[in-house]
Amino acid sequence: MDLLQLIQEIKQLTDQEAVHYAASYGVELSIKEVQQLRPLLDEVSFTWLFTGIPPVFIEKITSIIGYEKTMLYMEQYKLQ
């Protein structure tokens, strides 16, 4: 499955399904966090696989889920 297909599938999940989906990968999110993160899916770019995630996008994530969770998941999934 490619990145764009994955994003489209996540967009179609209900908030509760998205919470469970994230949890299946060890990412604990509340329904409120999912609702706030959902619009950011439109900003994700395939080129980030080569260039890395832009700091401004990481700041948006941090403002929603907090610094500690952001750094934990970025380290856990080797995203920094």
Side-chain angles (χ1 to χ4, degrees), residues 50-62:
F50 306 105
T51 63
I53 302 169
V56 69
F57 190 81
I58 294 170
E59 289 172 16
K60 291 177 184 180
I61 301 278
T62 301

Side-chain angles (χ1 to χ4, degrees), residues 14 21 37 69 75:
T14 66
Y21 184 81
L37 290 168
K69 280 173 73 172
E75 183 176 314

Side-chain angles (χ1 to χ4, degrees), residues 13-26:
L13 298 176
T14 66
D15 293 340
Q16 189 64 41
E17 289 170 334
V19 167
H20 290 299
Y21 184 81
S24 74
Y25 286 94

Side-chain angles (χ1 to χ4, degrees), residues 34-69:
V34 166
Q35 291 169 341
Q36 292 176 318
L37 290 168
R38 201 175 282 280
L40 298 182
L41 291 173
D42 292 330
E43 297 181 32
V44 174
S45 171
F46 177 76
T47 60
W48 296 358
L49 294 173
F50 306 105
T51 63
I53 302 169
V56 69
F57 190 81
I58 294 170
E59 289 172 16
K60 291 177 184 180
I61 301 278
T62 301
S63 72
I64 296 169
I65 68 170
Y67 179 81
E68 289 181 18
K69 280 173 73 172

